[in-house]
Amino acid sequence: MKEKSFREVIAEAMSEEMRRDDTVYLMGEEVAQYDGAYKASKGMLKEFGPKRVIDTPISELGFSGIGVGSAMNGCRPIIEFMTFNFSLVAMDQIINNAAKIRYMSGGQWNIPIVFRGPTGSAGQLGATHSQSFESWYASCPGLKVVIPCNPYDAKGLLKSAIRDNNPVIFMESEQMYGDTMMIPNEEYILPIGKADIKKEGTDISLVSFGKIMKVALNVAFKLDKENISVEVIDIRTIRPLDYESILFSVKKTNRLIILEESWPFSSIASEISFFIQKKAFDYLDAPINRITLLDTPAPYASNLVKTWFPDENKIINAIKKTLYLNI
């Protein structure tokens, strides 16, 4: 085991897969000469050269289309967006081509491509650089959507994504790149589509994903001191979603809260809530609750960001409300 940062394991996962399979390559803005905008491809140009670690112009639609075309011709491209806010420029290639070519060709073409980069708010970056689009991409059949919350999960899931024969949206966070964790020296992969119980509990199920999982776990351990037992589920994969793990947990705790770093309308929480009320309505001892961003674009002022973003107090209050405890 060795302690490694999130950015280190991203580079390590890509490098290991590139050594294993010479059809894998990385392409994006500043991934080569600059070692990545967030240094998540550090050292890769030196090892693999400019034919496999490729700097691009600021043209997401263009280089995403090149990636899709090369995937149709036997390559396994990793397309890095400097931020998923910029992926909106490439959505025609992602949604109309990557997600649909296998279906439209009757299975004649696989599209083994990974689109990866940071998502969500990273502080005072303004309304156009602080958005979470996982529900947008997850609503499209043909795409897989993965959002790890720590370095260990990130490495195992990214290796699985690169090996997958389907297009995978792999979302990270600028605020996680410096997070460190003990990582095994030996190779490992984690399955796409399997949630992880980050903390077991008996009173209420708290479902979340991505960097806000750190806040969820902090809350859960704080509430242990008040004899409130919170089970924390990291779904890790938005699509395919591990419905069964959530269902099993709710049948045990009889209460559910979903926490996500996105807007409330058409959220991942909405999908999970529908599924649980359909499959486990009689197990619920309280209405399902959800905690999201406020339904506005991201503010810039720091005091407004604190109001807009879910914090520990909001989560604690929501948990106690769902447990019918006095706040």
Side-chain angles (χ1 to χ4, degrees):
M1 301 281 281
K2 184 178 179 181
E3 187 175 43
K4 297 177 182 177
S5 69
F6 198 107
R7 60 167 54 87
E8 286 177 311
V9 300
I10 292 294
E12 194 172 76
M14 293 190 294
S15 296
E16 288 178 5
E17 292 306 302
M18 287 172 71
R19 295 181 198 117
R20 175 180 171 272
D21 182 348
D22 61 11
T23 67
V24 180
Y25 70 90
L26 172 65
M27 180 165 57
E29 297 157 4
E30 299 185 350
V31 300
Q33 294 289 340
Y34 193 66
D35 279 336
Y38 306 101
K39 299 297 181 272
S41 55
K42 187 174 181 180
M44 292 180 65
L45 174 63
K46 183 177 180 180
E47 178 175 357
F48 299 104
K51 288 188 177 181
R52 297 186 68 194
V53 183
I54 305 167
D55 276 331
T56 68
I58 302 174
S59 179
E60 286 79 8
L61 179 64
F63 63 75
S64 295
I66 290 170
V68 173
S70 70
M72 294 175 68
N73 283 279
C75 293
R76 290 184 174 270
I78 305 165
I79 304 301
E80 179 179 309
F81 297 122
M82 195 177 294
T83 160
F84 261 95
N85 297 279
F86 302 158
S87 74
L88 300 190
V89 183
M91 281 192 81
D92 180 55
Q93 287 294 339
I94 298 170
I95 300 297
N96 281 330
N97 289 330
K100 295 181 174 65
I101 285 173
R102 183 173 183 176
Y103 174 81
M104 293 174 67
S105 71
Q108 293 181 76
W109 280 299
N110 292 325
I111 309 294
I113 186 171
V114 176
F115 299 97
R116 52 157 292 269
T119 186
S121 171
Q124 291 178 268
L125 297 180
T128 61
H129 289 69
S130 305
Q131 304 172 101
S132 298
F133 296 117
E134 59 271 5
S135 64
W136 291 25
Y137 287 117
S139 71
C140 179
L143 297 178
K144 297 184 178 183
V145 182
V146 178
I147 309 183
C149 76
N150 63 45
Y152 177 84
D153 288 358
K155 182 177 181 181
L157 289 167
L158 182 53
K159 287 172 71 70
S160 290
I162 295 168
R163 297 183 190 187
D164 202 292
N165 284 329
N166 300 283
V168 180
I169 306 294
F170 193 93
M171 294 176 159
E172 303 152 17
S173 169
E174 294 101 314
Q175 293 185 332
M176 290 196 295
Y177 284 128
D179 292 354
T180 60
M181 198 172 185
M182 296 303 292
I183 304 297
N185 294 325
E186 63 273 11
E187 182 183 58
Y188 68 95
I189 60 172
L190 295 175
I192 292 175
K194 182 63 179 173
D196 186 38
I197 307 295
K198 290 291 194 280
K199 177 186 175 296
E200 294 191 355
T202 56
D203 294 332
I204 189 168
S205 301
L206 175 57
V207 174
S208 191
F209 56 90
K211 76 171 186 288
I212 206 168
M213 276 294 304
K214 293 186 286 186
V215 183
L217 285 167
N218 286 340
V219 165
F221 288 118
K222 280 187 177 180
L223 289 176
D224 277 343
K225 298 175 183 177
E226 299 182 37
N227 294 318
I228 298 173
S229 178
V230 182
E231 181 149 290
V232 182
I233 303 173
D234 176 12
I235 55 177
R236 299 196 294 198
T237 303
I238 309 303
R239 188 161 188 173
L241 184 61
D242 185 358
Y243 292 100
E244 293 305 314
S245 290
I246 302 170
L247 181 63
F248 182 83
S249 178
V250 171
K251 286 182 176 181
K252 178 175 69 171
T253 68
N254 310 118
R255 290 175 172 85
L256 173 64
I257 284 185
I258 306 108
L259 168 66
E260 63 179 302
E261 187 186 332
S262 189
W263 298 302
F265 195 87
S266 300
S267 60
I268 304 303
S270 302
E271 169 63 22
I272 294 172
S273 297
F274 171 79
F275 174 81
I276 293 300
Q277 68 81 27
K278 180 181 179 182
K279 295 290 187 178
F281 181 82
D282 291 337
Y283 288 87
L284 292 171
D285 289 340
I288 298 169
N289 203 345
R290 67 179 180 182
I291 309 161
T292 66
L293 304 175
L294 296 184
D295 197 16
T296 69
Y300 179 74
S302 60
N303 60 322
L304 295 179
V305 171
K306 290 179 182 178
T307 301
W308 175 75
F309 197 85
D311 61 14
E312 288 190 7
N313 286 334
K314 291 178 185 176
I315 300 167
I316 289 171
N317 289 340
I319 289 172
K320 291 184 175 181
K321 180 179 179 181
T322 307
L323 289 168
Y324 298 123
L325 298 174
N326 292 328
I327 299 174

